[in-house]
Amino acid sequence: MNNLAIAGKPEDLALTTHVCRGNYHSTWASQGDYAPIAPFLFAQENVDAFYLEFDDERSGNFEPLKYMAEGKKVVLGLVTTKNPRLEDKQTIIARIHEAARYIPLDRLCLSPQCGFASCEIGNKLTEMQQWAKLALVKEIAEEVWGK
């Protein structure tokens, strides 16, 4: 259905998709590994990149990334927006390298797992805590990718 909706898009239009598991006031709506959908979604959806949540055990491991179609980018949502605890930098870097066993590092990116609010009420983080998470993402990206 998604491929039909985006058929005929302009060549210079980049499209991405986010597989969301819910983000309402620091809670989630679903859980589960990407394995059941990976052979279809990752291999067949005609988007340029996938924003995927990997901030906790709800998302499973990185093995389903082996189904990712050639040339697609994967944005690893490794930094949670659901709680204010700042992730350990080295743990996140290790997880990026773990994902790189399935997708080349130059096709991986890093972001928070979802937006900081999917509704007006937002998540249970202060503005300063949100900025700290974004600063951590930037710091890690510069260290891993040198940008």
Side-chain angles (χ1 to χ4, degrees):
M1 185 66 78
N2 288 350
N3 287 343
L4 288 173
I6 61 177
K9 74 172 186 67
E11 284 296 316
D12 62 345
L13 176 64
L15 292 176
T16 64
T17 193
H18 169 56
V19 180
C20 189
R21 296 163 191 274
N23 198 32
Y24 177 78
H25 204 166
S26 295
T27 63
W28 48 271
S30 67
Q31 62 184 358
D33 187 304
Y34 291 104
I37 62 170
F40 310 101
L41 182 68
F42 298 165
Q44 298 176 23
E45 188 167 359
N46 296 328
V47 295
D48 299 291
F50 290 86
Y51 282 78
L52 303 175
E53 297 184 2
F54 282 108
D55 61 320
D56 63 22
E57 64 282 344
R58 291 180 305 119
S59 304
N61 61 38
F62 296 118
E63 187 176 1
L65 296 178
K66 69 184 180 186
Y67 294 104
M68 194 61 62
E70 194 63 37
K72 307 279 186 200
K73 291 193 177 217
V74 174
V75 183
L76 300 169
L78 295 171
V79 175
T80 192
T81 63
K82 299 214 179 341
N83 69 63
R85 179 190 49 80
L86 205 55
E87 287 78 359
D88 176 71
K89 182 172 129 178
Q90 294 309 315
T91 300
I92 299 295
I93 291 172
R95 294 200 66 212
I96 292 167
H97 289 293
E98 183 183 339
R101 294 189 339 219
Y102 302 98
I103 299 285
L105 190 60
D106 67 345
R107 287 177 39 211
L108 292 173
C109 305
L110 175 64
S111 79
Q113 121 285 338
C114 195
F116 287 103
S118 295
C119 59
E120 182 179 357
I121 195 170
N123 280 341
K124 297 177 182 177
L125 283 81
T126 67
E127 183 178 345
M128 291 306 295
Q129 291 164 333
Q130 293 173 42
W131 282 115
K133 292 213 177 235
L134 292 174
L136 178 65
V137 168
K138 181 180 185 290
E139 181 180 337
I140 292 170
E142 289 172 342
E143 186 169 325
V144 172
W145 291 280
K147 298 177 182 177

